[in-house]
Amino acid sequence: MAGATSSLILSPWQATLDHYNNKTKRFFVKGYPFPCHHSEPICNSFIIKRRVLSASSSSIFKDNHVVTHSSSSSDKLQTHFSMSGCGCSWIQDNSMLHYSATSNWTSKKCSALPTTKTVDVSSVSDLFEFICSGPLVDKIGITPEKVGQAIDKWLLYGSQLCRLFQLNELKLTIPQKARLYHYYIPVFVWCQDQIALHSSKFNDGDDVPPLVIGFSAPQGCGKTTLVFALDYLFKTTKMKSATISIDDFYLTAEGQAKLREENPGNALLEYRGNAGSHDLPFSVETIEALTKLTKEGMKMKVPRYDKSAYSGRGDRADPTTWPEVEGPLKVILFEGWMLGFKPLPAEVVKAVDPQLEIVNKNLEAYYEAWDKYIDAWVVIKIKDPSYVYRWRLQAEIAMRQAGKAGMSDDEVNDFVSRYLPAYKAYLPTLYEEGPSGSEPERVLAIDIDEERNPILAT
C-alpha cells in the first residue's frame, strides 16, 4: 500500500486539486479506507467528510480495510512516554480524547469522531501548500509533483499519527500540524526511499537484511518520539520494524558499579551515559541477530533497560519483559544521543574537560560495535548544547506534575553536566563531517530549534 501510486491522481498539483475539489464527486481514495465526500470550504481545514471508527478500539489499515486490535494507541502512547520521560507540549493541545481517571480505553468518549454523523476535516489544497512549505522538502527531494501524486498517503499517515498521539485531526494546532506534516511524515517518506534503495541492491530471491537507520540526536530533543512515530507508521503500512536504543545496551548495575570503582573521581563515568558505560559485545550480538531476521516465523526478544531500578541508577530489564519482534524485518531504527561520535585527538578533548580523556579512549571501540552496522542516518542538529538542560528540566517538571518521581532542578543540572563535555567536544565534528563511516548521500541532517521543530539551516 505504501509503495503504490494512487490511480486517482492523474497529474501533479492541478490534477490533485481538480480531483479533490470536484463538488459533485463522492469517491474512495486508494489506500485510504474511508469514503470521502466534498463540502464547502471551512477555515483552513480539509474539505473531506469521513466515516468514523468506533472509539472503543484502535485501528490499523490492512489492504483497503480497517482491522481493529485489542491493544490501543492510548496504551502505546502511555507506555512510550512513561519509558521516555518525555513531555511533549505540541501533543498536549487539543487532545482528541476525554476520559476520567477511572476510565479505560473501551469506555473513553471520542469527542472528535462522533459515531452518528460525518465530520469535516481540512481542505486538501491547504494541506498541499502546508506540506510544500516545510523546511525538509528540498532536503529530501519532496517536490510539489511528488506530494500531489501521493496526497492520499499523506492523508493516511496524518490520520494514523493523530490516532497514535490521540490528537483531534479536525482541529490540529499549528505546532501539531507542523510536527506531523513538516517533520514526522517527511522523515518517514525519506526512510521509505532509503529502504527501497537498500532493497534494490539485492536480486530477486535473496534474503534481504533489514536496513539499519541510525538516529543521532541530543537528549530531550524528541528523537525517541520520532522513532516511536516512525515505528508505528511502518507497522501500519505492513513493513515489519524493530526499534533499539543505545540505552538498551548499558552495562548491568553490577557492571556499572565496577566501572565507577575503576574510575574514581571521574564524574563522567560515575553514572551511565558516556562512552565506556555500554556493553558493546552485547550490542553487537543483538544487532547481528536482528539483521538475520529475514524470514517469516523468525523471532527474537529485544533487550530493554530499566532506568528506575536501583533508585534510578538503572539495570538491564528482566528478559521476560523484553518485547518480541518477528521477521522478515524491513528496517531497524537505532537511536542514541552519541551515535556517530568520533574519537578526537587527546589534547582536543582534554581542553574541553580533562575527565573526557578516558571517555574519548573508550569511544575508539564504538564504531565497530555500533556505527558500522548503520546504513543510513538521521542526524538531528541543535545550535546550543544548553538546550538539553531546558528540555530535561521540562521533562522532569512534567513527571512531577503527573505525580511521578522526578529530579529536582539542581539534580537536573548535575545530570546534564555529565553529558555536556561530550556534546561540546564531539558535536562540531559530527555536524561538519557526518557520522563515522557514513555516506553523505545517505545522511539526513535536520536542524531543530529550541522548541524541537525542524528549521531551515542557517
Side-chain angles (χ1 to χ4, degrees):
M1 177 178 66
T5 302
S6 173
S7 60
L8 295 176
I9 308 299
L10 302 178
S11 62
W13 170 219
Q14 188 57 50
T16 302
L17 281 183
D18 292 344
H19 171 71
Y20 283 101
N21 291 335
N22 184 337
K23 295 184 180 182
T24 63
K25 279 193 175 182
R26 179 182 187 275
F27 55 90
F28 276 84
V29 180
K30 185 177 180 181
Y32 200 76
F34 300 103
C36 301
H37 316 259
H38 184 80
S39 65
E40 291 298 327
I42 55 167
C43 304
N44 289 318
S45 319
F46 280 161
I47 311 158
I48 295 177
K49 293 183 179 178
R50 39 168 49 173
R51 185 173 60 206
V52 182
L53 299 176
S54 165
S56 63
S57 63
S58 64
S59 305
I60 292 181
F61 296 105
K62 198 168 186 178
D63 299 323
N64 287 329
H65 304 283
V66 175
V67 180
T68 58
H69 292 260
S70 58
S71 62
S72 69
S73 59
S74 175
D75 297 331
K76 291 183 178 69
L77 188 66
Q78 292 169 2
T79 300
H80 162 68
F81 288 122
S82 66
M83 292 178 63
S84 68
C86 177
C88 295
S89 58
W90 69 272
I91 291 177
Q92 294 163 6
D93 294 334
N94 268 345
S95 177
M96 184 179 74
L97 301 172
H98 301 275
Y99 51 93
S100 68
T102 58
S103 67
N104 56 33
W105 176 247
T106 57
S107 63
K108 291 172 186 173
K109 181 181 178 182
C110 179
S111 61
L113 299 178
T115 57
T116 57
K117 62 180 181 179
T118 56
V119 289
D120 290 326
V121 198
S122 75
S123 84
V124 174
S125 60
D126 288 338
L127 178 62
F128 175 92
E129 293 174 359
F130 188 80
I131 293 169
C132 293
S133 71
L136 299 183
V137 290
D138 291 335
K139 189 168 289 190
I140 67 176
I142 299 179
T143 64
E145 289 76 17
K146 289 182 179 180
V147 174
Q149 290 167 353
I151 194 68
D152 55 335
K153 295 176 188 174
W154 286 79
L155 286 166
L156 174 59
Y157 302 151
S159 179
Q160 290 286 48
L161 290 179
C162 285
R163 185 171 293 109
L164 174 65
F165 290 115
Q166 303 171 23
L167 300 176
N168 183 344
E169 65 180 294
L170 316 180
K171 297 180 180 179
L172 291 177
T173 64
I174 293 300
Q176 291 168 353
K177 195 174 180 182
R179 190 60 59 95
L180 301 186
Y181 292 103
H182 284 176
Y183 194 3
Y184 294 170
I185 298 175
V187 174
F188 179 66
V189 171
W190 180 84
C191 290
Q192 287 182 312
D193 290 343
Q194 293 300 310
I195 293 171
L197 177 62
H198 173 72
S199 299
S200 70
K201 297 178 180 179
F202 296 85
N203 297 320
D204 291 342
D206 288 350
D207 281 343
V208 180
L211 177 75
V212 182
I213 303 178
F215 294 79
S216 181
Q219 296 146 308
C221 75
K223 64 182 177 299
T224 303
T225 304
L226 169 63
V227 168
F228 178 66
L230 296 175
D231 182 55
Y232 185 75
L233 287 176
F234 278 120
K235 287 177 170 54
T236 60
T237 52
K238 300 196 294 185
M239 299 178 74
K240 293 183 179 178
S241 58
T243 63
I244 52 175
S245 167
I246 65 173
D247 295 358
D248 300 329
F249 305 127
Y250 281 134
L251 295 169
T252 62
E254 182 181 355
Q256 188 64 48
K258 183 179 179 182
L259 179 69
R260 188 162 49 249
E261 292 169 3
E262 293 173 347
N263 297 274
N266 191 324
L268 304 185
L269 294 174
E270 184 177 0
Y271 302 112
R272 66 181 187 266
N274 282 292
S277 65
H278 301 89
D279 187 337
L280 298 186
F282 180 58
S283 65
V284 169
E285 176 187 332
T286 301
I287 295 170
E288 289 189 346
L290 282 170
T291 60
K292 293 176 182 176
L293 295 184
T294 59
K295 290 184 171 63
E296 291 284 351
M298 300 178 73
K299 300 178 182 179
M300 69 170 283
K301 288 199 168 188
V302 182
R304 291 294 184 257
Y305 191 83
D306 181 1
K307 295 181 180 179
S308 67
Y310 292 96
S311 301
R313 288 187 180 269
D315 196 8
R316 190 166 298 154
D318 187 325
T320 61
T321 67
W322 296 357
E324 185 176 74
V325 296
E326 183 176 354
L329 290 181
K330 279 287 187 181
V331 63
I332 298 168
L333 308 176
F334 185 14
E335 55 105 341
W337 71 276
M338 54 172 283
L339 277 182
F341 282 10
K342 301 175 183 178
L344 299 172
E347 61 271 17
V348 174
V349 297
K350 287 172 68 175
V352 175
D353 188 329
Q355 298 180 106
L356 200 58
E357 186 174 12
I358 183 63
V359 172
N360 189 63
K361 183 67 176 177
N362 294 335
L363 190 59
E364 293 175 0
Y366 276 64
Y367 173 79
E368 291 294 325
W370 292 352
D371 298 350
K372 80 170 186 180
Y373 294 99
I374 297 174
D375 307 297
W377 290 83
V378 175
V379 178
I380 300 175
K381 301 166 64 175
I382 59 174
K383 287 186 176 181
D384 187 348
S386 66
Y387 289 175
V388 175
Y389 171 76
R390 179 191 170 194
W391 291 335
R392 187 73 240 174
L393 188 60
Q394 288 174 340
E396 295 300 323
I397 291 173
M399 289 177 66
R400 295 200 299 263
Q401 290 176 342
K404 299 178 181 179
M407 290 186 282
S408 67
D409 292 3
D410 288 340
E411 288 171 332
V412 169
N413 186 62
D414 177 68
F415 175 82
V416 173
S417 70
R418 300 171 191 269
Y419 295 90
L420 284 180
Y423 286 132
K424 292 177 180 178
Y426 301 115
L427 284 184
T429 303
L430 175 68
Y431 293 168
E432 183 177 347
E433 300 178 2
S436 300
S438 62
E439 302 174 23
E441 65 275 12
R442 305 208 70 181
V443 177
L444 174 60
I446 302 173
D447 294 81
I448 63 170
D449 61 19
E450 201 170 354
E451 300 304 320
R452 306 180 182 88
N453 296 313
I455 57 176
L456 291 172
T458 56

